[in-house]
Amino acid sequence: MRPIEFATPTSVDDAVRRFGSGSAYLAGGTTLVDLMKLDVVTPQQVLDIDRLPLRGLRQDRDGLHIAALERMSDVAAHPDVTQAYPVISQALMASASPQLRNMASIGGNLLQRTRCSYFRDITVACNKRVPGSGCPAREGVNRGHAIFGTSDACVATHASDLAVALVAMDASVALTGRNGTRVLRLEDFYRLPGSTPESENELAPGEIITEVLVPPLPWARRSTYVKVRDRQSYEFALTSAAVAVDLRGDVVADARVAAGGVGTKPWRLRTVEQALVGRRLNETDVRAAVEHAADGAAPLKFNMFKPALLRMTIARALMSLVS
Amino acid sequence: MNAPLPRDPGLGRRGFLTSAAGVLAVTATASTAAACSTDPVVGPATEADTVFALNGRRTQLVADARVTLLDALRERLELPGTKKGCDRGQCGACTVHIDGRRVLSCLMLAASVQGKQVTTIEGLAQGDRLHPMQQAFVDCDGMQCGFCTPGQVMSAVGLVQEGHAGSDDEIREQMSGNLCRCSAYPNIVESVRKGSG
């Protein structure tokens, strides 16, 4: 790890003001300290924002406000989340380990970097880490990599489970920076890699995520997160599905579907949502609705299994919502 | 019964290893400095002065800001019970409690624990009386080589405090952040179940 200057800003404004070209914000530390040890991220100054008063959950007419420095474990267990948005609680509980969930913040979770092994290894090329150096994953060991949203420059998967659930819920993030505060839909906050995979989201230098806003969705009580991985716990997704359905009688009136482990960003599947409307949650109808879930996917040599696994993951999640 | 071996901290395994490593470190530093004379001088801003409660005792640490809590505990505060397995947040051997919650000390900078309460495996027992979870691991033989055990015990104590010891399946899920290379998992689950009762 390179030498760092360590400082603890006293307010969001103070943090934004101190942020310079070599600065990095530190919250729970589970991404930043890890990547600093690997020399993947090399800040000269670390601004520890973990004590800023960005804590708590509250409900109002706009929905559920989750302050960005809340811990994953606390949000997962909060009654306003477990009852109104089970998909969010389940996505959090399927993430990382109990210790990491006690450390990692909600804002930090959304900003976690990819687990692509080439990104994490400074001895090899990676366009995300060193722009223009190349992408060994395209022809290399790419079993865990993305099939949606990829480019010649990058095929790395977005690693957050929470982000998948939040994109399904149409959540937004509030950002504070030098030019004040703005709100962006989380789906629009993330960028596709294109030819600039080093630029992963809309955050301006020094901007801080202060809050996540989840809009009201009464029928999200019938929602779930299913994650398929190489071991039962403490592993990143091969595929995952965040689903919610508005059931009228036994007919689907509306649905939300987003997928993880398959996209360079959390991947909303509106074609599946539309295909579900008017159908029943039985095996025949669900199979038909997910048939086109992976249309347009671009599998790589070692992840050819992902389109079929994704269809089955979504189907399993939907069938688990039958009461 | 065998007489206990005489203990001289200066001649112990850890004391020997520490001084040997010190010699190596000095050598490495000298050669690095000669090769990279243009490196910026490390100024005082790169040090952190941190005061916190360590196993109930007020502790002050002045150290390079890069030092993790794990390295501070083991190398500077003479508490080597907390183990360094992967040092990347993947194995759980370094689990400690901060303000009563289980966390990984390898992914936490020591400078971040200012004003907090840190509990390590050395802080669990009361005098000669083991914590019930430590006793359960002894009684159930919840280990093989023992390297991961301090982290397993700290994680298990946290799990019980969180109310997650409802069933063996829940214990397995809630202990998934602690890997055991010897795969002593059946006895670890049994230990946690017994230690939670």
Side-chain angles (χ1 to χ4, degrees):
Chain A
M1 204 188 295
R2 316 281 178 86
I4 52 169
E5 183 192 323
F6 184 86
T8 50
T10 53
S11 66
V12 172
D13 287 346
D14 184 35
V16 170
R17 191 176 49 75
R18 287 181 186 228
F19 195 95
S21 62
S23 301
Y25 290 130
L26 174 71
T30 55
T31 290
L32 184 65
V33 176
D34 182 31
L35 293 180
M36 282 165 59
K37 287 184 182 185
L38 295 169
D39 277 345
V40 169
V41 177
T42 54
Q44 289 152 9
Q45 182 195 44
V46 170
L47 297 170
D48 185 351
I49 59 169
D50 207 40
R51 288 152 201 270
L52 298 183
L54 299 172
R55 296 281 186 147
L57 285 83
R58 66 184 172 85
Q59 288 264 17
D60 66 15
R61 55 190 298 179
D62 295 328
L64 175 66
H65 301 255
I66 306 171
L69 289 175
E70 277 293 309
R71 301 296 105 156
M72 290 170 71
S73 51
D74 295 327
V75 175
H78 197 285
D80 288 351
V81 179
T82 57
Q83 288 164 25
Y85 306 99
V87 64
I88 295 175
S89 176
Q90 291 170 19
L92 285 165
M93 290 304 286
S95 306
S97 71
Q99 291 97 315
L100 290 164
R101 294 194 293 268
N102 278 343
M103 300 174 74
S105 69
I106 292 299
N109 179 289
L110 299 179
L111 295 175
Q112 69 183 287
R113 308 300 298 276
T114 183
R115 303 299 296 190
C116 173
S117 56
Y118 300 100
F119 171 74
R120 292 171 58 81
D121 178 357
I122 62 165
T123 66
V124 299
C126 168
N127 287 323
K128 194 183 273 298
R129 184 165 31 75
V130 183
S133 61
C135 176
R138 268 213 153 271
E139 306 299 325
V141 179
N142 49 33
R143 181 169 175 271
H145 287 70
I147 57 174
F148 292 127
T150 56
S151 69
D152 287 344
C154 187
V155 293
T157 315
H158 195 273
S160 168
D161 295 295
L162 171 67
V164 176
L166 290 176
V167 161
M169 294 295 99
D170 257 340
S172 301
V173 282
L175 314 174
T176 295
R178 289 198 183 89
N179 299 321
T181 297
R182 59 185 180 137
V183 177
L184 286 180
R185 292 177 67 244
L186 185 62
E187 192 179 5
D188 302 330
F189 172 77
Y190 293 117
R191 291 177 176 167
L192 292 174
S195 58
T196 55
E198 72 280 9
S199 172
E200 297 178 349
N201 55 56
E202 295 291 325
L203 269 186
E207 244 180 345
I208 293 177
I209 298 179
T210 56
E211 181 181 280
V212 171
L213 172 63
V214 191
L217 190 69
W219 47 270
R221 286 172 183 274
R222 192 187 294 272
S223 67
T224 192
Y225 191 77
V226 168
K227 181 175 179 180
V228 178
R229 39 192 162 170
D230 282 336
R231 55 183 178 189
Q232 192 173 347
S233 182
Y234 197 15
E235 184 55 273
F236 291 91
L238 289 172
T239 59
S240 70
V243 301
V245 290
D246 181 9
L247 270 189
R248 304 287 169 88
D250 59 353
V251 176
V252 176
D254 204 348
R256 297 285 179 85
V257 179
V262 290
T264 52
K265 66 183 221 174
W267 209 253
R268 185 86 175 258
L269 289 166
R270 290 188 174 79
T271 52
V272 180
E273 294 174 3
Q274 286 151 14
L276 279 164
V277 173
R279 293 187 186 270
R280 292 178 167 77
L281 287 191
N282 59 41
E283 196 173 324
T284 309
D285 276 21
V286 164
R287 275 186 189 278
V290 303
E291 190 184 345
H292 297 290
D295 286 5
L300 303 160
K301 182 177 178 186
F302 293 110
N303 67 12
M304 300 290 283
F305 63 92
K306 282 200 175 185
L309 187 61
L310 175 63
R311 287 190 290 269
M312 288 187 280
T313 306
I314 301 167
R316 196 170 108 199
L318 288 166
M319 292 304 289
S320 77
L321 295 178
V322 180
S323 38
Chain B
M1 190 172 136
N2 292 332
L5 291 169
R7 295 200 61 137
D8 178 344
L11 295 174
R13 182 179 66 96
R14 184 166 178 77
F16 172 77
L17 289 172
T18 307
S19 45
V23 171
L24 289 173
V26 168
T27 312
T29 307
S31 60
T32 309
C36 309
S37 57
T38 56
D39 274 1
V41 176
V42 178
T46 61
E47 280 200 341
D49 184 351
T50 311
V51 178
F52 59 104
L54 178 54
N55 295 331
R57 299 179 67 161
R58 183 184 184 278
T59 302
Q60 181 170 22
L61 176 76
V62 178
D64 188 298
R66 288 172 290 181
V67 172
T68 61
L69 178 59
L70 172 62
D71 284 339
L73 292 170
R74 291 180 54 81
E75 309 299 337
R76 292 156 197 260
L77 299 167
E78 299 182 336
L79 292 176
T82 305
K83 299 304 181 201
K84 180 184 279 194
C86 69
D87 204 27
R88 295 286 182 275
Q90 298 173 5
C91 78
C94 68
T95 302
V96 300
H97 294 184
I98 306 257
D99 292 343
R101 294 160 64 113
R102 49 178 165 155
V103 298
L104 301 178
S105 59
C106 77
L107 290 186
M108 184 167 284
L109 297 180
S112 292
V113 302
Q114 170 69 34
K116 296 188 187 284
Q117 302 207 19
V118 179
T119 306
T120 69
I121 189 73
E122 291 92 342
L124 276 192
Q126 299 204 323
D128 290 336
R129 193 159 57 87
L130 292 181
H131 184 283
M133 190 60 76
Q134 291 174 303
Q135 190 61 53
F137 270 74
V138 173
D139 294 344
C140 301
D141 202 13
M143 70 203 74
Q144 287 185 34
C145 82
F147 185 83
C148 71
T149 311
Q152 300 277 1
V153 170
M154 294 306 287
S155 194
V157 172
L159 175 156
V160 173
Q161 285 167 356
E162 294 158 11
H164 285 148
S167 66
D168 284 3
D169 280 349
E170 189 179 21
I171 289 171
R172 284 191 195 95
E173 169 61 27
Q174 290 291 328
M175 289 295 289
S176 69
N178 292 83
L179 306 188
C180 171
R181 196 182 63 173
C182 314
S183 217
Y185 295 113
N187 288 15
I188 292 172
V189 172
E190 191 185 336
S191 304
V192 178
R193 194 191 324 124
K194 181 171 184 186
S196 69

